[in-house]
Amino acid sequence: MSNCRHLLFLFAALLCATFASANDKIKVLIVDGQNNHNWKATTPVMVAAFERAGSFQVDVATSPPSGGDMSKFDPQFSKYDAVVSNYNGQMWSEKTQQALLDYVKGGGGFVVVHAANNSFGNWEEYNRMIGLGGWGGRNEKSGPYVYFKDGEWVRDESKGGGGSHGPQHEFQIVVRNSDHPVTQGMPLSWMHAKDELYDSLRGPAAEMKILATAFSAKSQRHEPMIFTIDYGKGRVFHTPMGHADYSMQCAGFQATLLRGTQWVATGKVTLEIPEDFPSSDTVSMRE
Ligand code: ZN
């Protein structure tokens, strides 16, 4: 092949690769705008993690501030392969509530991060979708506590509020199911960066698979940290991790978020476990 033809061939190949990667990108919508957490600091950490991976295209839908006109908050969920909630605030309009339910029931992907599971305590279908939640008036009427204790999974119907945590600290995540695409190939235990370890979440916990847990010194049992829920034709990925920007800078959190999002969007995970993934006893942080 002459040099000129060689170059043309290379150019054509590059062009094809560029188009293919643009088409193959998973379209992600992060929802924020109200939260008792610093969403203005945490959303950018998630956006950067998705963009660094190269296989996601991310938009952010920010609601009006608390007390604002929620009828103006009308995210186009159906244009996306996955919706990631970093929202904990005022109830959405009925139209927006219905749009989320229709989207997930129809096969859309939904990702719940940390205080997004505090949201909408009285919205029955939302609670079915997220499996477990905390605060927001949740109690025994919301569903059982679900945890791992003395080698057994427990669905505990006892009375009491939903949601609690002790002081923030680094803690170890223990993978309980390595057969699922999200956790396949993941080290069986890994050290998560400083975070709130949510305990005593409660909810319908229907069609829920718990993939990983962490031991809570406060509740004295292993609490769900990575789990999935089937909702209609849709897939939901839920992690109670992610209290602050530094919690989300954990390489393990980011890999888990990306794998969970790819799974809800496509039903598969092709992302590799990154080389900087935390070990069993050492935290691994990203910028
Ligand atoms: Zn928190």
Side-chain angles (χ1 to χ4, degrees), residues 37 114 196 198 243:
H37 292 67
H114 195 63
E196 278 171 352
Y198 273 5
H243 169 75

Side-chain angles (χ1 to χ4, degrees), residues 131-160:
L132 298 170
W135 300 273
R138 288 173 175 86
N139 58 28
E140 60 277 6
K141 289 177 192 144
S142 313
Y145 300 113
V146 181
Y147 49 83
F148 190 76
K149 191 169 188 180
D150 302 327
E152 283 180 9
W153 293 108
V154 181
R155 290 173 73 95
D156 179 348
E157 309 273 354
S158 61
K159 286 191 174 179

Side-chain angles (χ1 to χ4, degrees), residues 192-269:
H192 177 42
K194 185 178 169 186
D195 204 334
E196 278 171 352
L197 200 170
Y198 273 5
D199 67 83
S200 309
L201 300 175
R202 60 190 318 167
E207 296 186 62
M208 188 172 94
K209 272 192 195 133
I210 301 173
L211 307 182
T213 62
F215 182 75
S216 163
K218 191 165 182 202
S219 66
Q220 287 293 306
R221 57 204 189 203
H222 266 269
E223 301 286 344
M225 285 294 131
I226 302 176
F227 47 110
T228 66
I229 303 97
D230 294 333
Y231 184 77
K233 290 181 190 155
R235 286 177 288 268
V236 179
F237 170 77
H238 185 159
T239 179
M241 293 184 268
H243 169 75
D245 49 355
Y246 47 79
S247 319
M248 290 190 179
Q249 279 158 359
C250 167
F253 172 87
Q254 294 192 6
T256 303
L257 173 71
L258 266 50
R259 292 170 73 84
T261 304
Q262 190 187 30
W263 178 74
V264 299
T266 68
K268 288 182 279 194
V269 176

